[in-house]
Amino acid sequence: MDYTLLNNGVKIPMLGLGTYRIGRTDDDVYNAIRTALDMGYRHIDTATLYENEAPIGKAIRESGIPREDIFVTTKLWGDDVLKNEIPQAFDQSMQLLDIGYVDLYLVHWPVKGKLVSTWREMEKIYASDKAKAIGLSNHLQHHLEEILDEANVLPAVNQVEMHPYVVLNDLVDFCEENAIVCEAWSPLGSSKVPLLEEKILREIGDKYGKSPAQVVLRWNIERGVVAIPKSSNKERQAANLDIFDFKLTPEDVQLINSLDKNYRTGIHPDEIGF
Ligand SMILES: NC(=O)c1ccc[n+]([C@@H]2O[C@H](COP(=O)([O-])OP(=O)(O)OC[C@H]3O[C@@H](n4cnc5c(N)ncnc54)[C@H](OP(=O)(O)O)[C@@H]3O)[C@@H](O)[C@H]2O)c1
């Protein structure tokens, strides 16, 4: 596993497990997380929206792995911003997770007109030391600029949809210039686009004995982007973790970048209905 440092010195594993729809029942979620932790995952990404914080927290508590060895992210949902219930939403996540603290608390989506006031509340949560780092998700450069102008605590992370169909080099560069670590959600393109069937990815993978999914995840790591692929399946979880024993060439990276069509599988951050 590779790690990088957030701008406040907190260490984050470059690869984590996404958990959106990772299981239909709490038992499914619990088992998927225990399986992942047992095989070496040390970074779990959840959110209020996913309604799985309780079984994830239970799996972490019962894993036998020291709490400080696991990096846990959860996220603030926009409805709670609109209701002015940010502290309550955080407390609810803390109660459901029941793991003492979270490593990273993210604003899930920008809420129009409330970017800076939301960030002020996030700063208070950070000051409570119950979130070791705070950050953003689905924030474009103009959202980040608005917050950076006013921030007392710099956002540590920006988690956005990012894969070879939506490369977002400018946003990655802007985040790097501002000491914000980028995280890729749907790093495999989710199951909504045939990204993993791309011939280029297959051909590159064949050189290293790796699958298209492993090539795509490695591409993220090498551009300094943390990736959080979701898999409910033990073999695919293991494959997604097995990307730290090969390196892409600059030519490989260029070929992967050439797949870019600025195509999002999810909502454009300026069009979210909050
Ligand atoms: N911040 C946000 O707004 C936001 C939005 C969306 C997602 N996220 C986070 O990002 C995580 C990942 O995104 P995602 O779940 O949308 O998509 P993803 O990780 O890109 O793709 C998941 C899909 O790929 C399949 N898969 C996983 N590993 C594979 C492999 N090695 N080979 C082939 N197929 C594979 C999974 O199926 P199996 O499970 O059957 O393996 C699943 O259908 C989420 O779980 C969530 O934590 C955040």
Side-chain angles (χ1 to χ4, degrees):
M1 176 61 68
D2 287 357
Y3 291 81
T4 191
L5 287 182
L6 301 180
N7 57 23
N8 63 353
V10 168
K11 208 168 113 178
I12 181 173
M14 291 298 292
L15 193 97
L17 182 72
T19 68
Y20 184 52
R21 297 188 170 150
I22 198 160
R24 262 173 295 158
T25 64
D26 280 5
D27 281 350
D28 289 348
V29 174
Y30 176 89
N31 290 329
I33 304 302
R34 284 296 303 267
T35 302
L37 290 171
D38 284 351
M39 75 173 66
Y41 279 83
R42 291 295 180 267
H43 174 176
I44 309 289
D45 180 86
T46 180
T48 300
L49 178 76
Y50 308 167
E51 297 184 338
N52 59 15
E53 289 167 307
I56 287 178
K58 184 166 181 255
I60 290 168
R61 289 195 307 279
E62 294 178 0
S63 68
I65 298 164
R67 170 67 189 89
E68 60 275 18
D69 290 352
I70 307 176
F71 190 99
V72 182
T73 301
T74 193
K75 312 186 192 86
L76 168 70
W77 189 236
D79 289 348
D80 296 311
V81 174
L82 288 173
K83 285 189 279 177
N84 289 321
E85 289 181 356
I86 296 173
Q88 294 88 330
F90 180 71
D91 287 348
Q92 170 85 355
S93 285
M94 292 297 291
Q95 260 180 32
L96 290 168
L97 282 163
D98 193 16
I99 51 173
Y101 62 90
V102 291
D103 297 273
L104 180 62
Y105 194 47
L106 300 178
V107 181
H108 206 144
W109 288 88
V111 176
K112 275 193 199 72
K114 291 199 172 264
L115 299 187
V116 173
S117 61
T118 302
W119 192 248
R120 286 279 171 264
E121 293 297 322
M122 296 292 283
E123 288 175 334
K124 288 183 202 160
I125 289 167
Y126 181 62
S128 76
D129 208 32
K130 288 183 188 151
K132 300 295 175 195
I134 50 173
L136 304 163
S137 174
N138 298 304
H139 284 54
L140 302 175
Q141 183 169 332
H142 71 90
H143 299 119
L144 295 173
E145 281 167 345
E146 197 175 325
I147 292 169
L148 288 171
D149 275 351
E150 302 290 334
N152 298 314
V153 178
L154 289 177
V157 161
N158 188 25
Q159 182 185 112
V160 295
E161 179 177 356
M162 217 180 263
H163 45 71
Y165 286 166
V166 57
V167 169
L168 301 181
N169 274 332
D170 289 350
L171 185 61
V172 173
D173 289 347
F174 180 82
C175 285
E176 198 184 331
E177 281 157 23
N178 287 281
I180 299 170
V181 168
C182 272
E183 283 186 13
W185 65 255
S186 292
L188 302 173
S190 72
S191 45
K192 295 179 192 157
V193 282
L195 171 68
L196 301 181
E197 289 161 31
E198 288 286 351
K199 192 163 162 255
I200 287 174
L201 299 176
R202 170 73 55 201
E203 285 172 357
I204 293 172
D206 284 349
K207 293 197 295 178
Y208 306 105
K210 297 288 178 183
S211 69
Q214 290 170 317
V215 168
V216 167
L217 294 173
R218 183 72 213 170
W219 167 82
N220 274 289
I221 307 303
E222 289 190 16
R223 66 203 294 250
V225 171
V226 172
I228 48 166
K230 170 263 171 187
S231 181
S232 311
N233 171 278
K234 187 176 179 180
E235 284 69 39
R236 287 191 286 279
Q237 284 183 355
N240 294 345
L241 201 55
D242 184 20
I243 57 164
F244 295 99
D245 60 351
F246 76 111
K247 260 191 182 322
L248 301 170
T249 63
E251 293 75 30
D252 295 334
V253 170
Q254 224 175 349
L255 279 170
I256 298 168
N257 286 341
S258 75
L259 294 172
D260 189 19
K261 32 186 156 185
N262 201 23
Y263 180 82
R264 289 181 168 83
T265 66
I267 301 170
H268 189 287
D270 280 329
E271 284 159 17
I272 185 83
F274 291 117

